[in-house]
């Protein structure tokens, strides 16, 4: 499927654009083709080619393959850079005692799985004697403190974001990328192309790490007294009834949001039954009924959810962490939003491919999962 557009003056083509949305190829032509550009993306963005041509002949070209970047002049390679060299300055910040560096380059759900189930097996498999984590998101730091407090870490936003290699060496250090962007795109593609339920995101993670389910261990989430005290101070300022409240998590990055009216009906139901309602949200909601909210860190939100009588969460990366609250929880699934390289993922595919009950050591008696459109909030208590 092409979208073509041409701009002309007095019948002479000045500029034209041709996009191929099936392959992500793009061609631009200037001044009737005197100058043209070509861009191609392959392997879910791991391979990117950009070419500038004069009279149809390649003049300058750049190719990124996820590991290296090569520059060409008139068809001949003139310079090659390895993408991981951008981490060279970072190496100066790493203590010499460390041997293996694990870059946490994923959102909360996958990082929870890695820290909770995979980390012990992968450290053993790799023979990591003095590992260091690099957190690329602020909440990664919270998660490490909660799940792997004995492993040191540093925070470096976007470290190695363009690197597709799973492992590579810089001087005496070994680096492991947990995980590159293309990994998640491949998982989504496999879930879409195979029968529902035959591909699960946790199994795909184990394959990426070359591990099996027999290698999986389990780490409990622990909350420090300082975090708990900080949380209690915050919720006391909003007069939350800690003896009888429910914890609602309406936001997600991948799953499509449910309308505010859905949550308003749910809140109204709980209020009529005498419950206080806490909403774990980053944006205000357009609802008329009363609810309580305040800013909580990742670990503070977990500590509060543990005290609730019930959790209802839109399926998000936070959901995995909430499975360790030992609180009854309803998880609501919607379809994934738009993807640049894939069609939208249906709610059935999301429900089967990212089902939480298939994770090891999950208390299936406490956790219920629903397609949101089939959820009856009258039965939520």
């Amino acid at each position: 499927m092409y979208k073509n557009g041409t701009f002309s003056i007095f019948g002479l083509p000045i500029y034209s654009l041709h996009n191929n949305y099936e392959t992500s190829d793009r061609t631009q032509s200037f001044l009737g083709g005197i100058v043209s550009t070509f861009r191609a993306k392959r392997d879910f963005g791991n391979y990117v080619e950009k070419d500038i041509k004069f009279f149809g002949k390649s003049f300058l070209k750049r190719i990124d393959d996820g590991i290296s970047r090569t520059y060409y002049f008139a068809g001949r390679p003139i310079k090659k850079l390895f993408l991981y060299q951008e981490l060279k300055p970072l190496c100066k910040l790493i203590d010499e005692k460390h041997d293996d560096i694990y870059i946490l380059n994923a959102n909360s759900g996958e990082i929870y799985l890695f820290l909770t189930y995979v980390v012990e097996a992968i450290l053993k498999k790799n023979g990591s004697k003095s590992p260091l984590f690099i957190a690329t998101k602020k909440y990664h730091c919270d998660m490490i403190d909660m799940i792997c407090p004995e492993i040191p870490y540093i925070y470096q936003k976007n470290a190695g974001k363009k690197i597709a290699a799973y492992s590579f060496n810089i001087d005496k250090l070994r680096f492991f990328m947990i995980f590159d962007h293309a990994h998640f795109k491949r998982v989504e593609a496999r879930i879409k192309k195979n029968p529902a339920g035959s591909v699960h995101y946790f199994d795909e993670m184990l394959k990426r790490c070359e591990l099996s389910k027999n290698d999986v261990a389990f780490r409990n989430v622990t909350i420090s007294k300082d975090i708990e005290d900080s949380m209690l101070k915050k919720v006391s300022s909003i007069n939350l009834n800690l003896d009888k409240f429910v914890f609602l998590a309406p936001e997600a990055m991948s799953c499509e949001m449910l309308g505010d009216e859905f949550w308003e009906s749910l809140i109204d139901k709980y209020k009529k039954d005498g419950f206080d309602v806490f909403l774990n949200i980053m944006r205000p909601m357009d609802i008329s009924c009363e609810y309580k909210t305040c800013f909580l860190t990742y670990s503070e939100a977990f500590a509060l959810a543990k005290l609730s009588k019930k959790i209802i969460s839109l399926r998000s990366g936070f959901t995995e962490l909430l499975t360790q609250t030992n609180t009854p929880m309803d998880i609501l699934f919607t379809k994934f939003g738009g993807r640049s390289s894939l069609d939208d993922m249906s709610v059935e595919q999301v429900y089967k491919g990212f089902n939480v009950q298939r994770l090891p050591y999950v208390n299936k008696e406490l956790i219920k999962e629903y397609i949101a459109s089939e959820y009856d909030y009258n039965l939520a208590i």
Side-chain angles (χ1 to χ4, degrees):
M1 177 179 176
Y2 288 86
K3 180 180 179 181
N4 302 321
T6 301
F7 174 72
S8 302
I9 297 179
F10 301 120
L12 298 176
I14 302 300
Y15 171 77
S16 64
L17 170 66
H18 302 274
N19 281 306
N20 184 334
Y21 292 103
E22 293 181 354
T23 65
S24 295
D25 292 355
R26 184 188 70 190
T27 302
Q28 299 178 97
S29 178
F30 303 86
L31 303 175
I34 296 176
V35 180
S36 62
T37 67
F38 173 76
R39 185 204 66 191
K41 290 185 178 182
R42 302 286 186 270
D43 192 21
F44 303 106
N46 269 355
Y47 176 92
V48 180
E49 176 183 333
K50 296 182 179 180
D51 195 6
I52 300 175
K53 299 180 179 182
F54 281 95
F55 297 102
K57 299 291 185 180
S58 179
F59 179 65
L60 291 175
K61 180 189 288 189
R62 190 188 85 189
I63 294 179
D64 292 359
D65 61 9
I67 298 174
S68 63
R69 172 175 292 172
T70 306
Y71 294 90
Y72 297 81
F73 177 74
R76 293 186 176 186
I78 57 173
K79 188 177 182 180
K80 185 173 184 177
L81 303 172
F82 287 97
L83 297 179
Y84 58 73
Q85 294 299 318
E86 70 182 37
L87 296 175
K88 274 275 192 178
L90 179 60
C91 294
K92 297 178 181 179
L93 304 177
I94 297 174
D95 193 297
E96 292 182 356
K97 69 179 181 181
H98 297 296
D99 52 358
D100 291 342
I101 315 300
Y102 293 82
I103 301 177
L104 306 185
N105 185 34
N107 292 326
S108 56
E110 291 80 11
I111 296 304
Y112 169 82
L113 297 182
F114 175 75
L115 297 176
T116 301
Y117 297 110
V118 176
V119 68
E120 290 188 17
I122 204 167
L123 294 181
K124 180 179 179 181
K125 174 178 175 292
N126 293 335
S128 303
K129 298 178 180 179
S130 182
L132 176 75
F133 289 151
I134 295 180
T136 59
K137 301 178 187 295
K138 284 289 188 181
Y139 61 74
H140 290 169
C141 302
D142 279 356
M143 298 180 76
I144 296 169
D145 288 335
M146 286 190 288
I147 304 171
C148 301
E150 80 283 4
I151 299 179
Y153 64 86
I154 60 175
Y155 171 70
Q156 289 287 312
K157 184 179 180 181
N158 296 327
K161 196 172 184 67
K162 298 179 181 178
I163 300 172
Y166 173 62
S167 64
F168 51 91
N169 289 62
I170 301 178
D171 299 329
K172 296 180 179 180
L173 295 173
R174 286 195 302 176
F175 284 79
F176 296 89
M177 185 64 66
I178 313 295
F179 298 90
D180 65 271
H181 177 70
H183 164 75
F184 302 110
K185 291 299 184 182
R186 292 191 194 100
V187 172
E188 290 183 14
R190 281 180 47 75
I191 290 173
K192 284 176 61 66
K193 293 178 181 178
N194 289 278
S198 63
V199 178
H200 191 260
Y201 78 124
F202 181 64
D203 297 336
E204 295 299 303
M205 177 181 292
L206 294 179
K207 291 178 184 177
R208 178 63 167 160
C209 296
E210 299 178 344
L211 298 171
S212 71
K213 287 187 176 178
N214 293 330
D215 299 315
V216 166
F218 183 77
R219 284 177 170 249
N220 288 303
V221 170
T222 58
I223 297 294
S224 70
K225 187 176 184 304
D226 287 344
I227 292 296
E228 187 170 1
D229 289 345
S230 174
M231 176 273 294
L232 291 173
K233 183 178 180 180
K234 289 181 179 181
V235 298
S236 68
S237 68
I238 59 173
N239 297 315
L240 181 68
N241 182 4
L242 293 176
D243 294 325
K244 191 177 182 181
F245 79 98
V246 293
F247 184 98
L248 306 186
E251 297 178 341
M253 291 183 63
S254 295
C255 281
E256 288 191 344
M257 305 279 271
L258 294 167
D260 287 357
E261 63 278 5
F262 172 89
W263 298 103
E264 182 171 11
S265 298
L266 192 58
I267 293 168
D268 186 58
K269 165 68 177 175
Y270 276 110
K271 295 295 290 185
K272 288 178 179 178
D273 288 332
F275 286 84
D276 231 354
V277 178
F278 182 88
L279 262 61
N280 190 55
I281 53 177
M282 296 299 292
R283 65 171 183 88
M285 300 187 73
D286 184 20
I287 56 181
S288 58
C289 52
E290 180 191 1
Y291 63 87
K292 306 287 180 65
T293 189
C294 63
F295 172 76
L296 297 175
T297 67
Y298 209 79
S299 49
E300 288 170 345
F302 176 84
L304 179 62
K306 279 180 65 72
L307 302 179
S308 67
K309 299 300 182 184
K310 179 73 173 281
I311 299 169
I312 302 178
S313 176
L314 181 62
R315 180 65 170 94
S316 70
F318 189 42
T319 306
E320 281 93 343
L321 182 69
L322 291 173
T323 61
Q324 284 208 44
T325 59
N326 292 318
T327 299
M329 176 165 60
D330 292 347
I331 303 171
L332 310 180
F333 285 76
T334 60
K335 74 186 191 75
F336 276 5
R339 294 294 197 266
S340 59
S341 58
L342 297 170
D343 294 331
D344 289 352
M345 186 176 290
S346 71
V347 63
E348 291 80 9
Q349 291 166 328
V350 178
Y351 180 79
K352 294 288 188 179
F354 295 88
N355 192 280
V356 171
Q357 287 198 351
R358 286 181 59 175
L359 297 177
Y361 307 105
V362 165
N363 189 334
K364 297 180 176 60
E365 294 182 0
L366 291 177
I367 297 171
K368 307 298 180 184
E369 298 183 282
Y370 303 89
I371 291 176
S373 61
E374 301 172 0
Y375 184 67
D376 182 359
Y377 58 79
N378 289 307
L379 303 177
I381 299 297

